[in-house]
Amino acid sequence: MLKHEEKEREVLPGVRNIIAVSSGKGGVGKTTIAVNLAIALARKGFSVGLLDADVYGPSVPRMIDAGNYHPEVISEKGTDLIIPLSKYGVKFLSTGFFVNPADAVVWRGPMASGFLKQLITQGDWGELDYLLLTCHPEQAIFI
Ligand SMILES: Nc1ncnc2c1ncn2[C@@H]1O[C@H](COP(=O)(O)OP(=O)(O)OP(=O)(O)O)[C@@H](O)[C@H]1O
Ligand SMILES: [Mg+2]
């Protein structure tokens, strides 16, 4: 059986550091902090990705003025890869890229966690110094 550390490296082999931005309360500035931290790290010369994993109210698309971005999916060696939006030197993926803001979406637990797992493992993140994650306080992410 693989040790926990070895398993982690298998999931995101090219990602050196993961930073989760979360809180026990809504509306306190998680998304603001995550987006600004990502762009600040990119400006320092690091390669950075940001995954907005908030399934209840993803606000990253609006914050980076990318409400109309719909990620392309490419097939590489039999695996589907989801192409993040590159903007301000950061690779962005958000649940909001897949949902029309005007539509009501009813997420069941397994559906949301399966979808998030897909964004993490099938996102074409490449080599990253930092992957930032932001999610809703009532959400937990398990890989
Ligand atoms: N440090 C701050 N000072 C004042 N206002 C702020 C600060 N950080 C964020 N805000 C404002 O507070 C509001 C909520 O911020 P943000 O969307 O980043 O919070 P959040 O924790 O991600 O919210 P949610 O739980 O809804 O995802 C926004 O209007 C934002 O402009
Ligand atoms: Mg938020």
Side-chain angles (χ1 to χ4, degrees):
M1 206 169 92
L2 289 173
K3 282 191 293 183
H4 182 65
E5 284 171 35
E6 287 168 356
K7 265 193 191 166
E8 255 182 357
R9 239 175 276 134
E10 261 185 21
V11 174
L12 286 166
V15 176
R16 279 175 277 282
N17 300 285
I18 298 176
I19 301 176
V21 181
S22 194
S23 79
K25 196 170 178 283
V28 293
K30 293 180 292 297
T31 307
T32 309
I33 293 280
V35 168
N36 283 283
L37 182 57
I39 295 170
L41 285 167
R43 286 192 179 174
K44 292 240 174 236
F46 295 107
S47 44
V48 186
L50 171 60
L51 172 61
D52 175 20
D54 190 329
V55 294
Y56 298 102
S59 42
V60 166
R62 181 183 288 188
M63 213 172 273
I64 61 168
D65 193 20
N68 294 322
Y69 181 72
H70 299 292
E72 198 186 327
V73 177
I74 59 160
S75 191
E76 201 178 85
K77 293 177 196 151
T79 312
D80 286 340
L81 286 177
I82 307 163
I83 310 296
L85 170 69
S86 289
K87 198 164 181 180
Y88 311 119
V90 175
K91 290 179 180 176
F92 293 97
L93 274 183
S94 168
T95 53
F97 292 157
F98 300 85
V99 175
N100 181 342
D103 290 344
V105 183
V106 180
W107 289 100
R108 285 177 296 110
M111 195 169 130
S113 65
F115 178 56
L116 292 179
K117 192 171 166 178
Q118 218 177 345
L119 291 186
I120 294 167
T121 57
Q122 283 173 237
D124 189 17
W125 300 108
E127 294 273 322
L128 290 182
D129 295 311
Y130 293 98
L131 176 63
L132 280 84
L133 287 171
T134 173
C135 65
H136 192 271
E138 281 163 27
Q139 251 177 273
I141 301 178
F142 299 101
I143 306 179

